[in-house]
Amino acid sequence: MLPHKSIEARLQAAVSSVLPDANTANVLVRPCPDPKFGDYQTNALMALAKERKLNPRQLAADVLARLDVGELCEKVEIAGAGFLNFRLKSSTLERTLESAARGEHLFFERTTQPRTVVIDFSSPNVAKPMHVGHIRSTILGDSLARALRLLGHRVITDNHIGDWGTQFGMMIFAWKVEKFFENDPGLLPDPISELERVYKLVNEACKGDAKALAYLRSRFSYDVELELDKIEPEGALNWARMELVKLQSGDKENLEIWERLIAISKKQFETIYNRLGVTFDHTLGESFYNPMLKAIVQELLDKGIAKESEGAIAVFSDGSLPPKQDPFLKQEDGEWKPNPSLIQKSDGAANYATTDLATLAYRLQTWHPSEIGYVTDGRQQLHFQQIFATFRRWHPEANVKLAHVWFGSILGEDGKPFKTRSGETVRLADLLDEAEERAFQVVTDKRPDLPEPQRREIARVVGIGAIKYADLLPNRQSDYVFSWDKMLALHGNTAPYLQYSYARISSIFRKDDSDATSKTSEPASVSLGAPEEISLARHLLNFDFVLGAVVEDYRPNLLCNYLYELASHYARFYENCPVLKAEPKERASRLILSSLTAEVLRQGLEILGIQTLEQM
Ligand code: ARG
């Protein structure tokens, strides 16, 4: 695709050329929020006027007098306290649509200044089933990576799996209890359920559950090496700890069990990622950074960034930030108290924070990113604030944007955290199965005439699409209520509605027998007359702006809303403007509008990781 200079970028360049020494933030041109006033707008001159102590309307008038946008705009007006409103000529819209129809662009511009961006997302913990809590990270992170890539940035996706942690003590203990060396759980149809079962069992035994303890004793009686009488709550817990210590100190048998646990888990993750269509460039889990941790703790000590405290090592406030912004302070009873970030426990073991510092340093050295986004839930906000602040003290020279892209929780219809009916966390695999099954019912109701394999395929695309869209649509920082009925509805702001809109446009092309759409013939010209045609065309031109906003603030929800509005504009157009029954010239022009709408819908949904179908 050829580079396309968006209208907004051209208007911006025109304003900049009149104000060559203004900061670019002061000449930003945006789509006009209310089309009554124009197609594009800049309100930024007001800030510039303030900065230069000028009268804002006078500045706007001066800019306007020297502005050369006659080729694009029908008129430019000063409004309010110093806005400039631009009204495009219809020929500008028409020529832009024609160049898009020739395949020169799809209403967006690839960046001329590609950035290297690392997206850390999904990152489930090994040896535990992937549950609904990991879905937002996976879906959000994937969509952000797709958007950045489309705009021409170099994106590195890294799945920072939790493959090293206290859970392995219990897992290895459980592995030995169940003699998994003889009965490889990896060979079972659902090894994760099996691991989950034994994990729960050991966990309950560690908490003192009598039944779980009795079970462990019965298993241990077969094994002379293990001392039966030690299996009591304390004993179980100690045993798990001992297995962990052995693992950490490189015990061969435990390392082998650990590796097999990881292999089983990774296989499960892969199945889910395949179903979701998500891929990663790297899966560098926490364990990858183990060899680097000791040196980092030492360096932070040497630099005076970390301090010893009651046998542990931690980072404290250095007083450089106002208390309200200082992540190493917390308010208690009206007083500011230390809120340190632990980087080494008193037993010498490293923490989640230590690994994240090592990870950050590794990524900078290896990939030289200008930006790293961490997609996790909002409960990790303090963790990342502390990591970022520690890192700034450790590497003040580093020029990298660090962003915690956090999100809220998924709630059940009762407003409490989303759980199964029996109160357990929902497994991701079950959730995806249910989505497909429910979508199958909907499709079968609507299209009983289609053969079952086709209905199954539609149900897969619709079911997975519905889950993703329901997750991406709310502002990521708000909690949302998980509702099957809402997400699978064919009307309203849902994936099925957008997919259906796409399929409906595709059906026009199946009916069309003219050559206006065939790739070989010269594309027809576009002429916009009806107000619905003009609104639709204008909205198509805003694709660029929306994509920019998505990556700027890590918010795919803006794209969801844009696509929903696009489908709504198209529906109004389709209701008011006959396409196939129009006169040949008009028909060709409207077919172009239709096919470009379909193309933007398809591309937009692809950024959200959602597939489309020609027929539904
Ligand atoms: N494994 C963590 C969890 O499940 C998320 C890791 C996020 N990434 C990071 N670099 N800390 O909560």
Side-chain angles (χ1 to χ4, degrees):
M1 205 176 281
L2 294 174
H4 156 71
K5 190 111 181 113
S6 70
I7 302 291
E8 157 206 327
R10 286 163 67 184
L11 293 175
Q12 200 152 302
V15 179
S16 291
S17 71
V18 175
L19 296 165
D21 46 355
N23 179 326
T24 46
N26 282 339
V27 292
L28 286 184
V29 175
R30 296 277 174 254
C32 210
D34 185 345
K36 264 207 312 278
F37 301 121
D39 297 315
Y40 290 90
Q41 177 177 79
T42 177
N43 59 10
L45 293 177
M46 292 186 286
L48 184 66
K50 197 168 169 201
E51 200 182 291
R52 299 190 176 173
K53 301 200 171 57
L54 297 168
N55 174 327
R57 274 191 77 97
Q58 189 55 51
L59 176 68
D62 290 347
V63 170
L64 180 57
R66 286 185 292 148
L67 199 59
D68 180 16
V69 289
E71 203 193 320
L72 298 172
C73 297
E74 185 183 293
K75 62 175 186 213
V76 187
E77 281 177 334
I78 303 173
F83 290 85
L84 280 183
N85 289 340
F86 302 83
R87 169 79 65 199
L88 298 182
K89 288 179 174 169
S90 19
S91 59
T92 306
L93 291 172
E94 289 161 352
R95 298 301 82 77
T96 308
L97 261 66
E98 284 166 3
S99 56
R102 289 193 300 269
E104 289 172 19
H105 63 84
L106 191 62
F107 308 106
F108 64 87
E109 211 176 323
R110 286 170 68 87
T111 182
T112 47
Q113 288 152 318
R115 289 174 283 157
T116 298
V117 184
V118 175
I119 306 281
D120 173 321
F121 73 103
S122 194
S123 311
N125 296 323
V126 166
K128 292 186 186 169
M130 228 175 146
H131 61 79
V132 58
H134 291 110
I135 200 171
R136 283 199 98 172
S137 175
T138 309
I139 292 174
L140 263 165
D142 180 53
S143 163
L144 293 170
R146 286 167 185 260
L148 284 157
R149 278 200 180 114
L150 183 72
L151 293 180
H153 297 290
R154 175 173 176 244
V155 179
I156 295 166
T157 52
D158 189 8
N159 190 1
H160 190 74
I161 58 173
D163 61 358
W164 193 258
T166 45
Q167 79 262 36
F168 286 100
M170 287 203 215
M171 283 314 301
I172 291 172
F173 182 34
W175 187 284
K176 291 183 178 173
V177 167
E178 291 296 34
K179 305 190 193 319
F180 279 152
F181 274 112
E182 293 153 39
N183 319 302
D184 186 349
L187 301 175
L188 294 172
D190 186 0
I192 289 292
S193 289
E194 179 65 359
L195 294 185
E196 191 186 8
R197 181 185 67 77
V198 297
Y199 178 77
K200 273 197 190 142
L201 188 83
V202 174
N203 197 18
E204 275 158 23
C206 288
K207 286 192 206 141
D209 180 84
K211 249 174 91 186
L213 282 166
Y215 177 78
L216 289 194
R217 267 191 220 106
S218 74
R219 300 292 301 178
F220 273 95
S221 60
Y222 295 102
D223 197 326
V224 273
E225 267 180 64
L226 303 169
E227 296 156 67
L228 315 191
D229 52 336
K230 294 243 171 82
I231 307 298
E232 54 197 52
E234 272 296 283
L237 200 61
N238 285 338
W239 211 293
R241 283 203 194 110
M242 183 193 76
E243 297 295 1
L244 184 67
V245 171
K246 275 170 78 182
L247 171 71
Q248 286 168 339
S249 55
D251 176 82
K252 215 171 136 258
E253 185 181 24
N254 282 13
L255 272 174
E256 196 187 327
I257 297 175
W258 172 73
E259 270 164 19
R260 289 176 63 176
L261 283 166
I262 288 172
I264 293 172
S265 278
K266 277 194 172 163
K267 223 164 130 190
Q268 173 226 3
F269 297 158
E270 260 336 292
T271 321
I272 302 262
Y273 294 138
N274 282 339
R275 289 180 77 177
L276 291 174
V278 172
T279 56
F280 297 91
D281 300 313
H282 302 277
T283 298
L284 297 177
E286 294 180 16
S287 67
F288 176 79
Y289 301 96
N290 279 346
M292 310 168 200
L293 302 182
K294 278 266 170 294
I296 286 179
V297 172
Q298 194 54 52
E299 193 179 335
L300 291 173
L301 275 173
D302 293 346
K303 293 203 159 144
I305 298 167
K307 277 197 309 217
E308 228 187 289
S309 163
E310 293 164 33
I313 298 174
V315 178
F316 290 85
S317 169
D318 64 353
S320 64
L321 288 168
K324 265 195 170 153
Q325 289 159 31
D326 191 330
F328 304 104
L329 294 177
K330 61 174 177 229
Q331 212 164 16
E332 248 171 41
D333 315 320
E335 257 184 83
W336 291 104
K337 299 257 169 74
N339 190 21
S341 159
L342 220 57
I343 58 167
Q344 187 173 297
K345 294 181 208 152
S346 48
D347 65 5
N351 290 68
Y352 183 44
T354 333
T355 307
D356 256 325
L357 289 169
T359 307
L360 186 37
Y362 175 84
R363 286 174 178 164
L364 283 183
Q365 270 165 23
T366 316
W367 301 314
H368 310 286
S370 55
E371 191 174 324
I372 307 179
Y374 297 80
V375 191
T376 85
D377 78 64
R379 284 170 298 186
Q380 299 198 27
Q381 281 178 80
L382 178 65
H383 168 75
F384 284 106
Q385 284 162 10
Q386 292 187 328
I387 293 297
F388 298 167
T390 304
F391 182 75
R392 297 291 177 206
R393 276 152 72 181
W394 182 23
H395 285 286
E397 77 294 347
N399 184 13
V400 59
K401 173 178 167 191
L402 300 173
H404 183 206
V405 183
W406 63 269
F407 52 83
S409 323
I410 307 182
L411 306 176
E413 306 218 38
D414 58 359
K416 298 205 187 98
F418 187 49
K419 293 264 158 75
T420 62
R421 220 162 272 191
S422 57
E424 308 210 12
T425 49
V426 179
R427 290 176 59 171
L428 212 39
D430 297 340
L431 194 78
L432 301 184
D433 289 347
E434 186 165 351
E436 292 184 14
E437 203 41 53
R438 284 178 183 258
F440 184 70
Q441 298 309 329
V442 177
V443 177
T444 303
D445 277 352
K446 292 266 162 206
R447 298 295 307 271
D449 54 309
L450 295 176
E452 182 173 337
Q454 193 179 352
R455 276 181 285 138
R456 289 266 169 224
E457 174 58 7
I458 297 175
R460 185 187 66 76
V461 171
V462 170
I464 304 286
I467 289 216
K468 288 191 175 186
Y469 195 82
D471 206 70
L472 293 168
L473 176 63
N475 173 337
R476 65 177 158 79
Q477 287 164 345
S478 31
D479 298 345
Y480 78 91
V481 173
F482 191 93
S483 156
W484 287 115
D485 293 338
K486 254 203 205 148
M487 72 177 73
L488 286 166
L490 287 172
H491 293 285
N493 196 351
T494 64
Y497 172 68
L498 297 178
Q499 290 168 319
Y500 178 68
S501 305
Y502 175 82
R504 194 171 58 169
I505 304 178
S506 304
S507 77
I508 300 175
F509 289 91
R510 278 197 300 279
K511 285 188 211 127
D512 172 42
D513 50 9
S514 79
D515 58 0
T517 55
S518 85
K519 296 270 180 265
T520 49
S521 65
E522 194 55 25
S525 65
V526 173
S527 74
L528 303 168
E532 291 84 7
E533 289 179 303
I534 296 177
S535 322
L536 176 59
R538 265 200 205 115
H539 196 72
L540 285 169
L541 260 61
N542 290 346
F543 194 34
D544 185 74
F545 175 72
V546 162
L547 290 173
V550 167
V551 303
E552 190 52 40
D553 212 15
Y554 310 102
R555 291 192 192 278
N557 59 314
L558 301 173
L559 179 56
C560 297
N561 287 320
Y562 169 84
L563 294 175
Y564 177 60
E565 282 165 26
L566 178 62
S568 311
H569 277 298
Y570 187 81
R572 280 192 290 274
F573 156 79
Y574 194 69
E575 222 166 82
N576 291 290
C577 310
V579 177
L580 293 181
K581 292 208 173 81
E583 294 307 311
K585 245 185 92 92
E586 216 168 37
R587 169 191 160 109
S589 170
R590 288 179 179 170
L591 279 170
I592 290 182
L593 256 178
S594 300
S595 86
L596 291 173
T597 302
E599 197 41 33
V600 171
L601 274 174
R602 193 202 56 71
Q603 178 69 79
L605 286 170
E606 190 183 303
I607 293 303
L608 302 175
I610 297 174
Q611 288 178 273
T612 41
L613 295 157
E614 302 300 307
Q615 208 174 342
M616 268 174 78

